[in-house]
Structures are given as structure tokens and as C-alpha cells.
Amino acid sequence: MHSLHVNGFDMPYLDVGAGPPLVCVHGSLCDFRIWSAVLGPLTRRHRVIAVSLRHFFPAHWDGVGDTYSIAQHVDDVIAFIEAFDTRPVDLMGHSRGGHICFRAAQRRPDLLRKLILAEPGGELDATLDPDFKPGPSPLAARFAACAEEIAKGDIDGGLQIFMDALEGPGAWKRIPATAKQLLRDNATTLIGQTRDQRPPFSKADAQAIKTPTLFIGGANTKGMLPKVLHALAANVKDSRTEMIPGTTHPMFEQAPQRYCEIVLEFLSA
């Protein structure tokens, strides 16, 4: 593990392999360890730099303060790439990390060579969603319910609400023990996430992305995530979309070999 001082914060990261740099940004409740299933194949051709965002493991945050937000994490990722020894980089993000990478590409395309978004998290505004309704999203209410349990000390209870909402009833019980511990290690970040103030994606946002972009999804993912992916992909010029059969939101853990084949082919094209 290495560390880079960014915006007043020590940003931990793994640096594995050799070749063109590929920076990987994890999603909610995760950290740099989430990429372990794909490190082997990816590092055969790339220098993989997997970061842990502010307040995620190995930090042990108490959920207090106003230094956790989408805006802060976007600033941190941009500053991290600016401070790194090799630019431009390929940038890959999953879920909430995909949202962060999208915003980084929107603001600083000069830092990037290619962009990979694995089911980027977020909401759509009225320009992309005909069913758009103003006000808090149902997802925000779900995060609040999870965070309330976690703040009371019921870590597993809060995580069960989150995972069952994301992957369906009984999802938490099906998760292996190692993966459950990774989620527990980052549980308090959900408290911060209730204050994210994440802006919805707009058509203008998507049309502003000029970096060559790959969207990857799980063919069996339910809910808002596939809707967001396809709406963005339809409006990011010349983007490519790949859906991996038989997988859901953690597609790179469920089908790591296929995921890596898609990513490596896109990066080498």
C-alpha cells in the first residue's frame, strides 16, 4: 500500500503491475480491495492504481463532519491524478465511483485517455428521464434508513437494508463472510453518503463527455442502475456498451475473466 497527500488528506492506493496506468475508483461501502478479483488479469498489461477514497478503509471514520461528499471525492480524484507521476491515465469507476469518474471526465478530460464506467450510480434529471419527479429520490430515503441503523450501532442491520435494496431480498445473507467484512469496514461512510447532495445526470452532462468511454453492466441488474447506464450511453458520443450475461451490479466479482477481457480489449483498441 502507498499513500499520496491530496487536498489535506493521505489518499491510500495499491500500485500493481506495469504498463499504461489504469486508475480504479471503488463504489459505496467499498475500498481498493474490491478490485482484487480483476487485479491478476489487468496487471498483465497495465499498471493498476486502485485508490481508497477519503474516509474509506484503511481509515476508520466515525461519520462526523462535512468532509464526505461526491464533490469532495471528485476533487480528490482529480488532484490525485494531477499529482501522479504518469498522465494521462485510463480511469475506471464502479457504482458511486463511476459517478465520481464521470464528473472527473466532465471537468478534466485533459487528464484522461479512456474512461470505463461500470454501472455508474446516480439519478437522471428530466432531460434524460421522462418519469422524472422533483424532490428526494427513493434511493436517498433508502440510504437514510441504512445510515440510521448504522449510526445506532446496528452495523449488520443497516447493511442488510442496503444490500437487500440493491440486490433483492436475502442478498445480505448470501454474501460471503470476507465480502461482508469489507462492507462492515466501510459502514460508517453511509452516514456521510446521506449528505452527498449528488447532482442528477443531465443530457448536457453526457454530451459533454469527450473521452472515449466504455459502459459495462450486469445483464441481470435490477432497478435504476441499468436505466442510468443506458441513458448516459445513448448520449455520450461514440461510447460503447457491454452487458455481461448472468451478472448483477458486482459484475467484475461475478465474472472477472469476462470483465477483464472487455476492459483490456477496449483499452488496447
Side-chain angles (χ1 to χ4, degrees), residues 179-201:
K180 277 184 177 175
Q181 189 56 49
L182 185 147
L183 297 170
R184 292 185 186 111
D185 290 340
N186 293 293
T188 55
T189 61
L190 273 184
I191 300 172
Q193 197 159 326
T194 61
R195 306 187 292 268
D196 241 353
Q197 297 182 320
R198 180 168 62 185
F201 294 115

Side-chain angles (χ1 to χ4, degrees), residues 160-173:
Q160 180 173 343
I161 294 170
F162 181 89
M163 294 308 302
D164 288 3
L166 186 67
E167 293 283 314
W172 173 250
K173 291 181 180 178

Side-chain angles (χ1 to χ4, degrees), residues 1-6 11-17 19-24 47-51 76-90 111:
M1 188 180 77
H2 305 268
S3 184
L4 193 61
H5 197 68
V6 171
M11 198 163 179
Y13 64 98
L14 302 179
D15 190 344
V16 190
L22 171 61
V23 175
C24 304
R47 178 186 181 188
V48 177
I49 301 147
V51 302
D76 288 348
V77 167
I78 289 172
F80 179 88
I81 297 171
E82 283 181 320
F84 222 74
D85 56 10
T86 307
R87 293 192 305 274
V89 303
D90 297 317
L111 297 176

